Structure formats: structure tokens, C-alpha cells
Amino acid sequence: QAQAWFDSSPVPSIQGYNIQDQYKIPELSTGEMMSKLIKDHYRRFNIELVCETYTLGNTFFPTEKTTRAMVGNKPFIVYGPRGFLTNLQQQENFKTFSSLWDESYDQLEGLSRWNAIVKLIDYLLSLPTKEWCQVIQEASTIAQHNRHILKKIINDC
């Protein structure tokens, strides 16, 4: 029954990329990637795309997916429910990245939100190197602020 649903799904791939089994990726099947720690790979990414567990409806439930980005000092873009970033900003003085890029996607949900996020990612990837570096530097400052706030919350528990 699950296979029938998958076969009839209107989303045959993620943004035109084929989904493949991990064993078909040479670096994984040979063990090359397995010999490196995940933290070594994590450093290679400037911005984390967080795909939260709950993405539809009137809900706000940040999970380890959002806090992982904070702990890792990573700027983030969140695929979650409408108003997720707004709710996050209202909690303990967390900051998001609206001063650096368009976060209007936060007012959308579902496929509309996803399409707005893809458009944002395309925009960020199109920035000239000098401008990109400046954005990432400023985003890192915000990410450090969020990490500090999260650390304070954890220590207060």
C-alpha cells in the first residue's frame, strides 16, 4: 500500500534530483566517507536547511533539527509550519536571518513554502563571492548569538 502511494506521488524527485540508495554512492560503499566523522563534513556547509518534523498547521515545535543548527553555529533556513521563524524570534530572544535574506517564506506552508525556499537558495547561490562571504560572516554572528541563548537555556534547566 505504501508503494502504491509512493508510485502515485506528485513529487517524483526532490527538485529534479534522483533519490538513490546510499550504497550506490561510491564514497559510502567503499567506506571512504565512513572513516570520517560527521562533524568533519558538517563544517563544509555554510547554511543548514532544517526540515522540521511538523510542517503543516497551527503548530510550533522546534526539535533537535533546529537546535542542531544552533549548537553547530550554523545559519539556517527552516522548512516548517507557517510562522515558525516568527515564533522562534518570540522565544528567549532568538534571532533569524531576515536582515540578510528574504524570510517571507515563513508566511507560507507546504509546497508554496518549499518553492520559496528553493528560490531563496538559488538567490544565495547566485551572489558574487565577495557579497556571499559578507552575508555568511554576518549570518555567523547571528548564529553565535543563537548558540549563546540556547546554551543559557540548557544551563538554566
Side-chain angles (χ1 to χ4, degrees):
Q1 198 173 27
Q3 184 65 42
W5 174 86
F6 184 78
D7 290 342
S8 66
S9 173
V11 183
S13 70
I14 299 173
Q15 289 311 115
Y17 293 96
N18 290 328
I19 300 171
Q20 59 181 319
D21 188 290
Q22 67 186 19
Y23 299 106
K24 294 181 182 174
I25 301 171
E27 294 83 7
L28 284 177
S29 61
T30 62
E32 177 185 337
M33 206 170 213
M34 300 301 247
S35 66
K36 298 180 180 181
L37 298 174
I38 189 74
K39 68 183 177 85
D40 294 329
H41 296 288
Y42 193 66
R43 291 184 201 141
R44 296 173 37 206
F45 302 97
N46 295 114
I47 299 174
E48 183 157 344
L49 175 58
V50 174
C51 295
E52 268 300 346
T53 303
Y54 299 103
T55 61
L56 298 173
N58 186 19
T59 184
F60 175 67
F61 188 73
T63 67
E64 80 287 350
K65 298 165 190 76
T66 298
T67 57
R68 178 185 58 224
M70 291 180 182
V71 169
N73 271 330
K74 295 290 182 186
F76 50 83
I77 297 170
V78 179
Y79 180 75
R82 180 179 302 153
F84 186 91
L85 298 177
T86 302
N87 283 319
L88 188 63
Q89 292 166 356
Q90 295 171 355
Q91 306 294 318
E92 306 291 335
N93 197 26
F94 284 115
K95 294 181 181 179
T96 62
F97 306 90
S98 60
S99 62
L100 302 172
W101 55 72
D102 180 9
E103 288 186 338
S104 63
Y105 71 85
D106 193 45
Q107 300 312 308
L108 306 170
E109 69 178 14
L111 187 57
S112 298
R113 186 179 184 104
W114 178 255
N115 289 334
I117 288 172
V118 169
K119 186 177 175 182
L120 170 59
I121 292 169
D122 287 342
Y123 164 75
L124 290 171
L125 290 173
S126 75
L127 291 175
T129 302
K130 184 176 180 180
E131 191 175 341
W132 169 251
C133 290
Q134 184 177 357
V135 165
I136 290 303
Q137 184 177 16
E138 292 177 34
S140 294
T141 300
I142 295 170
Q144 288 171 4
H145 166 83
N146 288 337
R147 184 172 195 251
H148 175 76
I149 297 295
L150 183 62
K151 184 177 178 184
K152 184 181 180 322
I153 291 169
I154 291 169
N155 286 338
D156 287 350
C157 290

